[in-house]
Amino acid sequence: MDLTSPRVIRDIQNKFGFTFKKGLGQNFLTSRDILTKIVDSLENETDVLEIGPGFGTLTAALAERMDKVVSVELDDRLLRVLEYTLGDFDNIKIVRGDVLKLDLRSLIKDEFGEKNVSVAANLPYYITTPVITRLLEERLPLNNIVVMVQKEVAERITASPSSKEYGAITLLCRYFCEPSIVTAVPASLFVPQPKVDSAVLKLRLLPKSAVSAEDEKLLFRVIKAAFSQRRKTLLNCMCSAFPVAKDKMSKILTEAGIEPSRRGETLSLDEFAHVSDNLIKILRQ
Ligand code: SAM
């Protein structure tokens, strides 16, 4: 069964009376070429956690190469469909649940033991940032995260300092991984066709974080604060977010080697780590 064929997708819809739910981001991929690129980008991985199988098109492509694929789907209506489309595979397990609520650490441990796994997903766009943030901040045992995201999100995550795309999510990803764009994916390759183009983003997890900060949570708070009001200077953003007087905050920044009138988007991850490490001394006083 060629699950990338729009005709096959329509036949399955008719067989099960299935209608796409926009609210669940149900835009199904119809390109074998893109599926191959996603699977190839996982290199020598053997175990994959998939998010959102839909009719199972990426799930099947993964299962052809992997030892085991565990796939989390929120929409109950798809469970019967997936039994039909993926019934011939004995290395796929479908788990019904919301990826934002499931205990992913326990799921990975129960299904894959002590091994590291990779995540593959064609994510609904409205949950892209929360899912990526969760996968990274929870420090799950992952090798790679390969996700289809809105083109603009892929550009934001791979952006350089001082560009308009550079933001908190860029730095969060840089802290934990090496990001790259695997391929662009035009909207025409999905049914139903979304309004925006996509890209496959690969996040290769680093063996240790890119910079060392004394308090990781504080570093992320500093980064979020710096981008909370893009038109304001770093000094003003920091004063709004932390209970520190302006002259003291100015000193913290200057001692970290940062001119207080700079804007958050001009700072590198390293510079944010210096600010965070200087701030911690004052907060602890
Ligand atoms: N993997 C299929 C493909 O590539 O054609 C379908 C991708 S479709 C963009 C997104 C899938 O994620 C849908 O099957 C949808 O029901 C599912 N989904 C949406 N929100 C979810 C959530 N919070 N947790 C798990 N799955 C979710």
Side-chain angles (χ1 to χ4, degrees):
M1 195 180 331
D2 180 5
L3 294 168
T4 59
S5 152
R7 197 178 49 77
V8 171
I9 293 175
R10 221 177 17 253
D11 288 349
I12 296 173
Q13 278 193 277
N14 291 338
K15 185 174 168 68
F16 290 90
F18 184 88
T19 48
F20 297 112
K21 270 196 189 159
K22 210 174 164 189
L24 289 178
Q26 289 176 339
N27 303 96
F28 294 176
L29 184 63
T30 60
S31 163
R32 182 142 294 280
D33 178 45
I34 302 293
L35 286 180
T36 305
K37 285 185 174 149
I38 294 175
V39 180
D40 285 350
S41 74
L42 290 165
E43 299 164 38
N44 299 323
E45 186 57 86
T46 54
D47 299 277
V48 172
L49 176 69
E50 190 201 8
I51 304 165
F55 282 180
T57 176
L58 175 58
T59 328
L62 290 165
E64 277 162 18
R65 277 249 215 124
M66 304 293 157
D67 290 347
K68 184 169 180 181
V69 180
V70 174
S71 191
V72 177
E73 175 58 59
L74 178 59
D75 188 348
D76 289 329
R77 301 173 307 154
L78 285 168
L79 302 183
R80 265 183 344 124
V81 180
L82 288 164
E83 258 175 51
Y84 170 73
T85 56
L86 303 176
D88 288 344
F89 289 91
D90 59 6
N91 58 344
I92 295 175
K93 177 162 179 184
I94 305 294
V95 174
R96 201 246 148 214
D98 182 341
V99 70
L100 291 172
K101 295 189 183 144
L102 278 179
D103 178 350
L104 294 177
R105 185 173 298 281
S106 300
L107 178 68
I108 292 172
K109 187 150 195 275
D110 293 348
E111 296 296 340
F112 300 102
E114 298 302 327
K115 282 191 211 162
N116 272 25
V117 301
S118 288
V119 169
N122 174 6
L123 287 178
Y125 295 144
Y126 61 94
I127 59 169
T128 306
T129 306
V131 168
I132 292 178
T133 305
R134 182 170 179 210
L135 293 174
L136 296 177
E137 284 190 354
E138 280 189 28
R139 288 191 177 276
L140 297 170
L142 302 178
N143 293 323
N144 292 291
I145 301 171
V146 176
V147 278
M148 177 87 70
V149 296
Q150 198 174 324
K151 185 171 144 251
E152 287 71 20
V153 174
E155 286 168 354
R156 230 180 287 151
I157 288 175
T158 53
S160 311
S162 294
S163 62
K164 72 174 185 344
E165 291 83 14
Y166 189 70
I169 186 76
T170 319
L171 286 150
L172 178 82
C173 289
R174 284 296 153 75
Y175 181 77
F176 290 107
C177 36
E178 183 197 325
S180 59
I181 294 179
V182 174
T183 183
V185 187
S188 58
L189 294 182
F190 297 89
V191 286
Q193 196 171 314
K195 289 202 176 71
V196 291
D197 289 328
S198 298
V200 176
L201 174 75
K202 175 172 175 175
L203 303 172
R204 184 203 293 271
L205 276 286
L206 298 169
K208 69 181 185 58
S209 31
V211 297
S212 69
E214 250 186 81
D215 181 337
E216 190 174 288
K217 288 213 162 63
L218 182 66
L219 171 64
F220 298 148
R221 275 178 64 202
V222 169
I223 292 172
K224 279 180 193 141
F227 290 96
S228 58
Q229 294 153 295
R230 283 188 91 108
R231 294 212 187 131
K232 286 198 176 176
T233 62
L234 181 63
L235 176 62
N236 284 336
C237 289
M238 293 286 289
C239 286
S240 308
F242 297 96
V244 177
K246 203 162 183 173
D247 56 336
K248 236 182 195 171
M249 188 61 91
S250 184
K251 198 159 168 255
I252 290 171
L253 296 177
T254 312
E255 281 176 4
I258 313 293
E259 169 57 46
S261 62
R262 281 174 66 181
R263 285 171 207 278
E265 63 260 33
T266 67
L267 269 69
S268 67
L269 184 55
D270 227 16
E271 290 178 310
F272 274 113
H274 287 141
V275 173
S276 164
D277 284 355
N278 264 12
L279 177 63
I280 206 167
K281 291 181 208 145
I282 302 295
L283 294 178
R284 276 181 186 157
Q285 274 173 13

